[in-house]
Amino acid sequence: MRAWGRFRHHTPAMIGLGIIVTFVVLAIFAPLISPYDPNAQNLAEAIEGPSASHWLGTDQLGRDIATRLMYGARISLLIGVLAVSIGLVIGVPLGMVAGYYGGWADLAISRFADMMFAFTSILLALTLVAVLGVSLQNVIIAVGISVIPVIIRLVRSSVLSLREEPYVEAARALGASNLRIITRHVFRNSLTPVLVHGTLSIGVSILLAAGLGFLGLGVQSPTAEWGTMLGEGRQFIFSAPHLTTFPGIAIFLAILAFNLLGDGLRDALDPRMRTVDGPAG
């Protein structure tokens, strides 16, 4: 409850949460909010600026941009959440094993992470999409795999410090199994950095997916996705800048929101903050 109190009074974090909730509401209720079909073409109204009938204008095929942004939020947020989930499901256990057991397991897993670190995130995602093929499913997998090495390193470093804590030594002395120690003591106490980094990684994953879409290797048209919309509008950047401006703003706001939320969670869950407040009652 104290953590929630600190988070609730963290103004930037609440702003970030508000932006995320707004995107989620728009994504869920898009069919009720907009009267337009996101894929319906009307060439007679192509490349129109913002107006009363089309609040953010229309694209090169006469599709309503505001509607496509709302439907695109579904895809972009889905990619971000699922990609980070893949990274956590694979990276957390590997980091736990590497940090707790050490030895050959640590060596093998750390070298695996180092090998993946040889590529930048966007280059790794591009390579994986080129190998797997262009589709929504493969974009999620590619972005998710690019998150794994950072998660491994983060969890490993956290476990290396936690395994020497007195309560872990006491549990080991009482005969607790390694699995019980990892799940009951180590994992629970390493959740804070994982939760914070996972939140920040959602914004990074949205940016990676948008980059793939911009390059034509992400979600394919006519499916609405912010990066794909940005890529389609770049040829009209001077004659119709609204085609790229509004998708760009959506991507910027989403990344900003998850960064603000992650910073707020870090400050709220930081053990040093609990020390300042005094011992929990």
Side-chain angles (χ1 to χ4, degrees):
M1 293 303 294
R2 289 186 175 184
W4 166 246
R6 286 193 294 269
F7 179 80
R8 187 163 51 89
H9 290 92
H10 195 287
T11 302
M14 295 306 295
I15 293 174
L17 181 61
I19 295 173
I20 294 169
V21 170
T22 300
F23 276 133
V24 171
V25 170
L26 291 174
I28 294 174
F29 297 103
L32 301 178
I33 298 173
S34 175
Y36 300 104
D37 184 324
N39 298 326
Q41 300 180 17
N42 184 358
L43 296 179
E45 298 182 346
I47 315 184
E48 288 188 356
S51 63
S53 56
H54 299 284
W55 295 346
L56 301 182
T58 60
D59 65 9
Q60 68 277 13
L61 297 177
R63 298 172 295 190
D64 184 68
I65 291 178
T67 302
R68 289 182 61 78
L69 285 177
M70 286 187 281
Y71 279 89
R74 296 180 174 184
I75 303 298
S76 294
L77 294 176
L78 179 69
I79 292 174
V81 172
L82 291 184
V84 171
S85 298
I86 291 173
L88 292 175
V89 168
I90 298 176
V92 170
L94 290 177
M96 289 281 178
V97 171
Y100 186 82
Y101 289 102
W104 65 267
D106 184 19
L107 181 64
I109 293 172
S110 295
R111 296 297 78 78
F112 168 73
D114 290 341
M115 181 182 67
M116 297 182 71
F117 270 122
F119 300 89
T120 61
S121 296
I122 184 64
L123 181 58
L124 180 59
L126 280 170
T127 303
L128 291 170
V129 168
V131 172
L132 298 174
V134 178
S135 70
L136 174 59
Q137 177 182 346
N138 291 339
V139 168
I140 294 173
I141 293 173
V143 176
I145 291 176
S146 70
V147 176
I148 292 175
V150 182
I151 299 293
I152 291 176
R153 282 286 184 85
L154 177 68
V155 175
R156 176 183 176 274
S157 63
S158 180
V159 173
L160 283 173
S161 61
L162 289 172
R163 72 179 184 179
E164 305 300 332
E165 291 290 332
Y167 57 84
V168 174
E169 295 290 346
R172 189 178 293 116
L174 291 172
S177 65
N178 287 329
L179 180 61
R180 181 176 177 81
I181 293 173
I182 291 174
T183 56
R184 186 173 180 83
H185 300 289
V186 176
F187 176 70
R188 290 173 59 183
N189 287 283
S190 63
L191 275 179
T192 295
V194 172
L195 179 62
V196 171
H197 185 77
T199 304
L200 296 171
S201 293
I202 295 178
V204 175
S205 298
I206 290 174
L207 180 61
L208 279 177
L212 292 174
F214 180 80
L215 296 173
L217 295 174
V219 178
Q220 298 298 293
S221 188
T223 302
E225 190 270 330
W226 295 339
T228 303
M229 293 175 65
L230 200 63
E232 291 176 342
R234 62 184 169 183
Q235 58 183 312
F236 305 100
I237 192 169
F238 295 111
S239 59
H242 65 280
L243 269 65
T244 52
T245 299
F246 295 122
I249 290 175
I251 296 169
F252 165 76
L253 288 176
I255 297 170
L256 175 65
F258 281 106
N259 278 318
L260 293 176
L261 182 62
D263 287 342
L265 288 174
R266 180 190 58 203
D267 293 343
L269 299 174
D270 190 338
R272 290 172 296 181
M273 298 295 290
R274 290 198 288 271
T275 302
V276 171
D277 290 343

